Amino acid sequence: MREILQWTTLIVCAAATLARIPSALRGTNRSLFFIFLLATAAGVLSLDVFYLPIDRALGGINIASLLLRLIVFAAIYLVAFRVSRAFGARDAYALISGRIGLGVLGLFSAALVTLFLLMDISASSPGLADASSRSPRNAALLPYYWATARGYPMYVSLALLPSLVRTLGSRLPPLVRAGAGLMAAGAVATTAGFLLDFAAPAVSLERLVVNNSAVLFFASGLVMVWLARVRAQRMGGTRNVMY
Amino acid sequence: MAPEVAIATSRAAGVGLTGGLVATGLVTEAEAGWTPGARQAALDMLSDGDLTVLAGDRLQAMGKTLRRQEQDQEQSEMILENLG
């Protein structure tokens, strides 16, 4: 079950990345390609089969785990940056990519790296599952590490949610609204993932389901909006949107 | 205007049910059993001032609709440009 879920997420993201290559080569919204590429990288690092050899190559001290968390930060930041711009959500834009937004991103990244360095995790362990048994200090720090890792995606999701819900109820094309709805579901799942960190044990199935569905919701939401563009072009195109 | 709305409007206005259908152009005046030139005669009865106010109201309503469509269009383009 665990493996199926993770592989599904990885395959969906990888397929979206591949499908996005022609647009990226044409120069159309390259950031969308990078979003899917980052999501694919995160999917790869989430699987034990890939995590262990990659982490070994990086020194076997779980730097791959830190890398995975930072990749997630980058991916969710890029998604939110594009979405808030696309939906003309000035409030969300300021909270995400304005001075406040970048400050929050810097703060969370710095806290994550600091907490990681304070822990003593010198044996490769996917999801840092074995870390807390290594020392009392690890056990004390690990909850903060996870709260930081999930905190930034939750902050971004909450900042984005109002504009997504607003779009859902607008008169925009159905595919755009479906995309906004799926991304809103992704934002809710991300928030639920943060809350589950306090409620459920580290590697529980609930957490895995919620976190994977958050990624799938966001990815499929982006694909929906992309399909809306394909559709608009096929129907003769809206002004200025032809490339 | 949809026929249902035209009928409902004429019912609410207390005129003949066919009135709405004639107004929206769905049936001709003759088909509705109006005397020839009845509509023109009714319009002639209105003063220039009344007619201008009426036309102004309609233009304002049309302007609102067009502006809303333009805003929707603009927003659509913005979304597809950034996420398409």
Side-chain angles (χ1 to χ4, degrees), chain B residues 53-68:
Chain B
V53 169
L54 193 66
D57 285 349
R58 293 203 179 170
L59 277 174
Q60 203 171 27
M62 201 167 123
K64 266 186 201 158
T65 313
L66 282 176
R67 211 167 48 202
R68 213 171 50 203

Side-chain angles (χ1 to χ4, degrees), chain A residues 46-101:
Chain A
S46 303
L47 277 156
D48 299 1
V49 220
F50 300 116
Y51 181 91
L52 293 170
I54 291 173
D55 194 51
R56 201 175 313 129
L58 290 171
I61 52 168
N62 288 306
I63 285 183
S65 165
L66 182 65
L67 194 66
L68 166 61
R69 282 3 288 185
L70 291 175
I71 287 174
V72 170
F73 280 14
I76 191 86
Y77 171 80
L78 267 181
V79 170
F81 173 66
R82 297 309 291 196
V83 168
S84 61
R85 250 175 65 162
F87 293 162
R90 226 167 274 163
D91 43 348
Y93 188 79
L95 286 173
I96 290 155
S97 19
R99 201 173 295 170
I100 306 173

Side-chain angles (χ1 to χ4, degrees), chain A residues 214-230:
Chain A
V215 178
L216 285 174
F217 278 135
F218 269 116
S220 50
L222 289 172
V223 169
M224 284 287 165
V225 182
W226 169 19
L227 288 179
R229 187 215 185 94
V230 173

Side-chain angles (χ1 to χ4, degrees), chain A residues 45-234:
Chain A
L45 282 175
S46 303
L47 277 156
D48 299 1
V49 220
F50 300 116
Y51 181 91
L52 293 170
I54 291 173
D55 194 51
R56 201 175 313 129
L58 290 171
I61 52 168
N62 288 306
I63 285 183
S65 165
L66 182 65
L67 194 66
L68 166 61
R69 282 3 288 185
L70 291 175
I71 287 174
V72 170
F73 280 14
I76 191 86
Y77 171 80
L78 267 181
V79 170
F81 173 66
R82 297 309 291 196
V83 168
S84 61
R85 250 175 65 162
F87 293 162
R90 226 167 274 163
D91 43 348
Y93 188 79
L95 286 173
I96 290 155
S97 19
R99 201 173 295 170
I100 306 173
L102 292 176
V104 172
L105 174 60
L107 218 60
F108 270 103
S109 307
L112 191 77
V113 174
T114 309
L115 284 165
F116 181 82
L117 292 176
L118 284 175
M119 283 189 286
D120 153 45
I121 330 173
S122 43
S124 263
S125 123
L128 303 182
D130 307 332
S132 59
S133 58
R134 283 180 70 85
S135 75
R137 194 171 67 172
N138 277 0
L141 287 174
L142 206 57
Y144 293 102
Y145 178 79
W146 281 113
T148 312
R150 304 248 190 260
Y152 182 66
M154 184 198 68
Y155 167 80
V156 168
S157 294
L158 288 181
L160 212 52
L161 200 53
S163 62
L164 290 172
V165 173
R166 228 181 295 140
T167 306
L168 192 60
S170 71
R171 291 178 303 272
L172 289 162
L175 275 172
V176 171
R177 281 161 54 196
L182 283 166
M183 284 191 272
V188 171
T190 306
T191 310
F194 175 80
L195 297 175
L196 269 181
D197 262 347
F198 297 100
V203 280
S204 72
L205 192 62
E206 295 96 310
R207 257 169 74 162
L208 199 74
V209 169
V210 167
N211 293 328
N212 271 278
S213 47
V215 178
L216 285 174
F217 278 135
F218 269 116
S220 50
L222 289 172
V223 169
M224 284 287 165
V225 182
W226 169 19
L227 288 179
R229 187 215 185 94
V230 173
R231 207 178 120 88
Q233 279 176 340
R234 196 161 296 162

Side-chain angles (χ1 to χ4, degrees), chain B residues 3 9-10 17 21 52 56 58-59 65 67 74 77-78:
Chain B
T9 308
S10 46
L17 290 184
L21 296 179
T52 312
R58 293 203 179 170
L59 277 174
T65 313
R67 211 167 48 202
E74 230 169 76
E77 275 168 24
M78 184 91 151

Side-chain angles (χ1 to χ4, degrees), chain B residues 36-47:
Chain B
R39 184 203 285 246
Q40 192 58 47
L43 283 175
D44 289 345
M45 268 163 56
L46 287 171
S47 71

